[in-house]
Amino acid sequence: AEALGFLDEVLPILFKKLDDPEASVRCAVIDALGRSPTPEAVKAIQRLTTDPHRRVRDSAESVISKLSDQLKTAKSGIAKSA
């Protein structure tokens, strides 16, 4: 419960930083959001796959790919246990 409260405080700050002029800041935010992938975070990360900076696009695509792999693994585990 405490961790969820922390996320409620931090996520709005991270979302604001997605528009930071520094590509390195946006990359760090993508990484942080990928560690707590709420639906809103995933949407924000997806938006950055079209960022003007290649490093930001690559970072967003990498996180989306990892999250997709994790979801596939989870679905596979659920299917096997059913």
Side-chain angles (χ1 to χ4, degrees), residues 3-81:
L4 293 177
F6 176 75
L7 279 179
D8 288 342
E9 292 178 27
V10 172
L11 285 177
I13 297 166
L14 291 175
F15 288 138
K16 287 180 185 176
K17 289 294 184 181
L18 287 171
D19 295 320
D20 194 277
E22 290 293 325
S24 61
V25 172
R26 295 193 304 279
C27 287
V29 172
I30 290 167
D31 184 56
L33 290 175
R35 295 174 192 274
S36 301
T38 65
E40 296 83 9
V42 172
K43 286 180 187 177
I45 295 167
Q46 285 176 323
R47 179 175 63 88
L48 290 176
T49 61
T50 60
D51 191 271
H53 284 79
R54 180 173 187 84
R55 204 168 94 220
V56 175
R57 290 192 308 269
D58 289 348
S59 180
E61 290 168 4
S62 174
V63 168
I64 294 292
S65 178
K66 286 178 190 172
L67 293 175
S68 178
D69 290 346
Q70 290 173 358
L71 184 58
K72 287 175 189 172
T73 300
K75 283 182 178 181
S76 175
I78 291 169
K80 288 179 182 176
S81 65

